[in-house]
C-alpha cells in the first residue's frame, strides 16, 4: 500500500493512544445521546482520517490530519483493500505462443476488486536485461489497456498490479509495478501490503546514498533490493539473498512479485499476512477441473496471483499457496522453492482474517478452502450465537449473501431476496452532502416489496464500519412494508485501524468504538443488531482449513482485537 507522495510530516499515533484521557473519552462516548451521535457521524471526522491531539491538561482537542494516513479513509462506507499482484511466465520455447500480456490483463481484471485507481503491466522478452516493456495508468483496467498498448507489451514473462489509493496518493508516479535500472539490468517489483517499519528501512536506504522519488513502500522495497546484502557477491547479484535480507529487515506486511530478465520471484512475508498463490496454465483441452489430472499435465506456463479467482478464466488451474516466508522462483523450466524465512520464534502465522470476511472474491481459495464456504460457515455460526425468530432471512447484496444462506440453513428459515442492486450507481462517497450521500445509498438498492411486505426479516451483512450505509437500507425496507428488521453482522465489530495494507479508518471513526449493539440498533432503526464473536469467526475459518503446520496456524485479528502480529512499531508514524 502506498502513502501520499506529498506527505512529509509524520506524527506518532502511539503517543496519543497511550494517553489515559483519550481512553476515558471513548468510554464516556458509549453513553452519548442520539443528537450528538447524529452530529458526530455527519461531520468530517467520519470522512477524513484524523488523530486527536491532547493539550497540556490532557484534554482531547480537535483532530488533525497526520502523516502517512493523510487522505486515507475517504470512502464513506466500507473498507478498501490496497493492491492486487499478478505474474505470468511461459514455459518451453521462447518466443512463446501464449499472449502473456493478455493473460496478465485478464488476471488483473479478476483482481479489480482489490484496487480500482491505477494499474500497470511490465513484460520482458528475455532478450535484453536492460529494457522492459511497460504500460501504466490511472483508472480501471479496461480503460488503461487498449489494443494499441497491449500490442507493445510483447514478452515471454511479465508482472502486473492493480492498486487502490486515496486522494493525495492517487497519482501516476505511484502506479506499479516499479521498474529500476541497475548495473546488472532492469528490475520490476509489484507489492501488496504495507511495511510496518517503513521509516527505519527508508532511513537505511537513504543513508546508503539512494534517492527516493516517492513516499511509496513499493519504491522503497525496489530500491532496498538493489542494495548489496551483507554477504559477498562474487558473480553478479544474488537476488534470493537480497530478497531474504529484505525479509529479515521487514517481516511485515507484503506479498511481492519481482521480475528480472528471464525469471519471476514470488515472495510472501514470514507471517503470511497477505495472500499469494500459484497456478498452472494448462492445455485448453483439459476439460473439467480435477486436481490429480492437473498435477500430471505439463505446464504451458505458470501464474502467480494475490487470489486464485481469475485462474479458470485464463486457462490456468490452482496449484497451491506460496507459504508464509517462502521465496519461490518461476522460470521457463518450472517453479521451485528457493528459501523459506521462518516466522519469528514463538509467533504464529497471521493471515488477514478479513480476506475471508470482506476483501477476497468468494471463488478464491485460501488455506485449502474456498472463501464462499467460509462465509457460509460464518452465517451458520452467527445463527447459533444470535438467533432471532423471523419469517425470512436475506442479505445486503452481494456482500452478505453467502453468510445469509448459512444462517438460513442453520435456522431452517426461508431465504429470500429483499433488495435488488442498481449496478450503475457510483460510489456513495462522491456525494456532496450527508443527505445526498444517504439518498445515494438508498438509490443503490430497490426493495422487493412482495417479499418484504408484512414480514419479519433478518438482514445479514458482512461488516459495519461507520454505520452510515445500513440505516437508509433499513428505512427502505420499512417503507416497503417490513414489520421487523433484525440486523446480523457476519463478523465482529471493527475496533482498531490496520497497519498492514488495509484502509481501515482510525479508531475515532469506527462505529464499534462509539455505540454498542443495542445503541447502534436504535441509531440505524433496526429492531435488533448482533455481531459474530471473534471466537465464532475463528471457529468458522478454521473448521475446514488445511493445516500444514498446525502449531503455527493463526490469523491476524488486529482490527478486531488490537492484537497486532509482531506488536506495534516502536515509532508508529501515523
Amino acid at each position: 500500500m502506498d502513502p501520499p507522495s506529498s506527505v512529509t510530516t509524520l506524527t506518532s499515533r502511539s503517543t496519543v493512544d497511550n494517553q489515559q484521557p483519550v481512553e476515558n473519552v471513548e468510554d464516556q462516548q458509549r453513553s452519548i445521546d442520539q443528537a450528538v451521535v447524529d452530529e458526530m457521524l455527519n461531520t468530517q471526522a467520519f470522512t477524513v482520517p484524523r488523530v486527536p491531539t491532547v493539550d497540556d491538561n490532557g484534554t482531547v482537542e480537535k483532530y488533525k490530519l497526520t502523516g502517512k494516513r493523510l487522505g486515507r479513509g475517504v470512502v464513506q462506507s466500507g473498507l478498501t483493500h490496497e493492491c492486487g499482484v499478478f505474474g505470468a511466465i511461459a514455459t518451453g520455447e521462447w518466443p512463446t505462443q501464449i499472449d502473456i500480456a493478455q493473460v496478465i490483463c485478464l488476471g488483473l481484471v479478476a483482481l479489480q476488486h482489490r484496487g480500482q485507481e491505477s494499474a500497470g503491466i511490465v513484460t520482458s522478452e528475455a532478450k535484453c536485461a536492460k529494457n522492459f516493456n511497460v504500460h501504466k495508468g490511472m483508472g480501471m483496467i479496461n480503460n488503461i489497456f487498449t489494443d494499441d498498448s497491449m500490442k507493445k507489451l510483447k514478452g515471454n514473462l511479465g508482472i502486473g498490479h492493480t492498486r487502490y489509493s486515496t486522494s493525495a496518493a492517487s497519482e501516476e508516479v505511484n502506479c506499479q509495478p516499479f521498474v529500476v535500472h541497475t548495473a546488472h539490468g532492469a528490475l520490476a517489483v509489484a507489492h501488496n501490503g504495507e511495511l510496518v517499519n517503513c521509516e527505519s528501512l527508508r532511513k537505511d536506504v537513504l543513508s546508503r546514498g539512494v534517492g527516493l522519488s516517492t513516499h511509496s513502500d513499493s519504491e522503497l522495497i525496489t530500491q532496498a533490493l538493489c542494495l548489496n546484502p551483507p554477504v559477498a557477491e562474487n558473480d553478479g547479484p544474488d537476488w534470493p539473498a537480497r530478497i531474504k535480507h529484505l525479509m529479515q529487515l521487514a517481516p511485515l506486511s507484503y506479498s511481492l512479485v519481482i521480475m528480472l530478465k528471464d525469471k519471476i520471484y514470488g515472495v510472501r512475508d514470514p507471517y503470511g499476512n497477505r495472500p499469494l498463490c500459484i497456478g498452472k496454465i494448462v492445455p485448453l483441452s483439459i476439460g473439467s477441473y480435477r486436481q490429480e489430472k492437473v498435477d500430471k499435465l505439463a505446464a504451458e506456463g505458470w501464474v502467480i496471483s494475490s487470489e486464485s479467482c481469475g485462474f479458470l478464466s485464463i486457462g490456468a488451474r490452482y496449484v497451491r499457496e506460496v507459504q508464509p516466508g517462502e521465496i519461490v522462483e518461476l522460470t521457463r523450466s518450472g517453479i521451485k522453492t528457493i528459501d523459506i524465512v521462518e516466522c519469528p520464534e514463538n509467533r504464529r502465522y497471521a493471515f488477514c482474517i478479513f480476506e475471508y470476511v470482506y476483501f477476497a472474491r468468494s471463488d478464491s481459495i485460501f488455506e485449502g478452502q474456498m472463501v464462499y464456504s467460509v462465509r457460509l460457515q460464518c452465517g451458520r455460526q452467527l445463527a447459533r450465537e444470535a438467533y432471532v425468530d423471523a419469517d425470512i432471512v436475506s442479505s445486503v447484496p452481494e456482500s452478505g449473501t453467502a453468510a445469509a444462506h448459512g444462517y438460513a440453513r442453520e435456522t431452517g428459515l426461508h431465504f429470500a431476496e429483499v433488495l435488488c442492486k442498481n449496478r450503475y450507481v457510483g460510489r456513495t462517497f462522491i456525494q456532496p452532502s450527508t443527505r445526498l450521500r444517504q439518498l445515494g445509498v438508498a438509490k443503490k438498492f430497490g426493495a422487493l416489496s412482495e417479499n418484504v411486505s408484512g414480514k419479519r426479516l433478518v438482514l445479514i451483512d458482512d461488516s459495519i464500519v461507520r454505520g452510515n450505509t445500513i440505516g437508509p437500507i433499513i428505512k427502505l425496507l420499512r417503507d416497503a412494508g417490513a414489520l421487523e428488521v433484525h440486523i446480523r453482522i457476519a463478523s465482529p465489530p471493527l475496533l482498531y485501524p490496520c497497519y498492514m495494507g488495509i484502509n481501515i479508518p482510525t479508531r475515532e471513526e469506527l462505529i464499534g468504538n462509539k455505540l454498542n449493539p443495542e445503541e447502534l440498533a436504535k441509531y440505524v432503526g433496526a429492531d435488533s443488531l448482533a455481531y459474530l464473536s471473534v471466537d465464532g469467526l475463528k471457529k468458522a475459518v478454521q473448521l475446514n482449513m488445511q493445516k500444514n503446520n498446525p502449531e503455527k496456524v493463526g490469523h491476524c485479528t488486529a482490527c478486531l482485537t488490537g492484537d497486532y502480529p509482531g506488536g506495534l512499531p516502536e515509532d508508529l508514524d501515523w
Side-chain angles (χ1 to χ4, degrees), residues 523-548:
Y523 176 73
V524 299
D527 291 277
S528 70
L529 186 147
Y531 296 93
L532 180 63
S533 67
V534 175
D535 287 342
L537 175 59
K538 289 180 179 179
K539 184 177 180 180
V541 167
Q542 297 181 11
L543 181 66
N544 296 312
M545 71 174 283
Q546 190 177 65
K547 300 180 179 68
N548 295 327

Side-chain angles (χ1 to χ4, degrees), residues 179-399:
V179 178
V180 295
H181 297 275
T182 75
H184 307 285
L187 173 79
V189 175
H191 164 228
N192 167 218
E194 182 168 7
L195 297 182
V196 175
N197 65 332
C198 65
E199 284 310 304
S200 62
L201 186 59
R202 182 179 298 277
K203 291 174 184 176
D204 185 28
V205 169
L206 292 173
S207 70
R208 305 281 286 275
V210 177
L212 297 171
S213 60
T214 73
H215 283 260
S216 162
D217 288 0
S218 307
E219 186 199 16
L220 179 60
I221 290 169
T222 308
Q223 296 289 7
L225 287 170
C226 295
L227 299 176
N228 291 330
V231 295
E233 293 177 330
N234 298 320
D235 186 21
D238 184 345
W239 290 112
R242 293 180 181 219
I243 294 169
K244 185 175 180 180
H245 181 52
L246 171 68
M247 296 172 73
Q248 291 166 341
L249 291 174
L252 275 167
S253 156
Y254 47 83
S255 284
L256 307 173
V257 287
I258 303 167
M259 187 178 74
L260 303 172
K261 169 189 172 184
D262 58 358
K263 65 184 64 175
I264 296 171
Y265 291 105
V267 183
R268 195 173 176 199
D269 72 60
Y271 287 86
N273 185 251
R274 304 260 64 86
L276 194 64
C277 63
I278 298 168
K280 178 191 286 189
I281 299 177
V282 297
L284 296 178
S285 59
I286 183 176
S288 62
Y289 175 85
R290 292 204 307 273
Q291 189 63 49
E292 62 275 11
K293 189 176 180 181
V294 172
D295 293 340
K296 295 177 182 178
L297 285 171
E300 294 186 352
W302 296 93
V303 291
I304 187 165
S305 175
S306 294
E307 294 183 41
S308 61
C309 53
F311 285 178
L312 288 175
S313 65
I314 59 172
R317 300 295 185 269
Y318 175 83
V319 174
R320 68 174 179 88
E321 286 186 299
V322 176
Q323 295 303 308
E326 184 179 8
I327 305 170
V328 62
E329 181 185 76
L330 288 73
T331 67
R332 65 195 298 181
S333 301
I335 61 171
K336 63 179 179 179
T337 298
I338 299 298
D339 208 339
I340 295 180
V341 177
E342 295 294 335
C343 189
E345 190 175 357
N346 301 322
R347 293 285 185 179
R348 290 180 174 269
Y349 296 145
F351 178 54
C352 174
I353 206 162
F354 246 71
E355 290 282 356
Y356 285 113
V357 171
Y358 186 96
F359 297 115
R361 220 171 78 172
S362 58
D363 53 338
S364 289
I365 297 171
F366 298 138
E367 300 174 311
Q369 57 187 343
M370 190 164 282
V371 171
Y372 181 88
S373 299
V374 173
R375 291 174 180 169
L376 193 78
Q377 191 59 39
C378 286
R380 286 186 177 275
Q381 184 64 30
L382 181 61
R384 299 181 193 116
E385 295 181 5
Y387 172 79
V388 62
D389 191 25
D391 300 310
I392 58 173
V393 177
S394 193
S395 66
V396 178
E398 283 88 14
S399 56

Side-chain angles (χ1 to χ4, degrees), residues 399-417:
S399 56
T401 301
H405 279 290
Y407 193 101
R409 293 181 191 183
E410 185 68 21
T411 59
L413 296 174
H414 177 64
F415 175 87
E417 293 184 9

Side-chain angles (χ1 to χ4, degrees), residues 137-213:
M138 304 299 297
M140 303 288 278
I141 291 160
N142 289 337
N143 296 326
I144 296 171
F145 299 105
T146 63
D147 289 342
D148 289 341
S149 63
M150 293 299 289
K151 289 175 183 176
K152 298 175 183 178
L153 291 171
K154 298 182 184 299
N156 298 301
L157 65 157
I159 63 174
H161 186 272
T162 183
R163 175 172 176 267
Y164 180 88
S165 67
T166 49
S167 55
S170 185
E171 300 169 354
E172 195 158 349
V173 68
N174 287 320
C175 294
Q176 296 186 46
F178 273 103
V179 178
V180 295
H181 297 275
T182 75
H184 307 285
L187 173 79
V189 175
H191 164 228
N192 167 218
E194 182 168 7
L195 297 182
V196 175
N197 65 332
C198 65
E199 284 310 304
S200 62
L201 186 59
R202 182 179 298 277
K203 291 174 184 176
D204 185 28
V205 169
L206 292 173
S207 70
R208 305 281 286 275
V210 177
L212 297 171
S213 60

Side-chain angles (χ1 to χ4, degrees), residues 444-503:
K444 278 188 173 183
F445 300 101
L448 301 175
S449 56
E450 287 187 359
N451 291 347
V452 173
S453 182
K455 299 291 198 315
R456 302 168 300 160
L457 66 94
V458 180
L459 189 68
I460 310 291
D461 204 356
D462 54 11
S463 60
I464 290 184
V465 183
R466 292 180 172 91
N468 56 1
T469 299
I470 196 69
I473 291 174
I474 294 171
K475 183 180 185 303
L476 183 69
L477 294 173
R478 292 202 186 278
D479 290 346
L483 295 180
E484 298 176 9
V485 181
H486 300 273
I487 301 299
R488 294 295 180 266
I489 306 301
S491 65
L494 283 159
L495 302 175
Y496 300 88
C498 177
Y499 304 143
M500 290 161 286
I502 306 300
N503 185 4

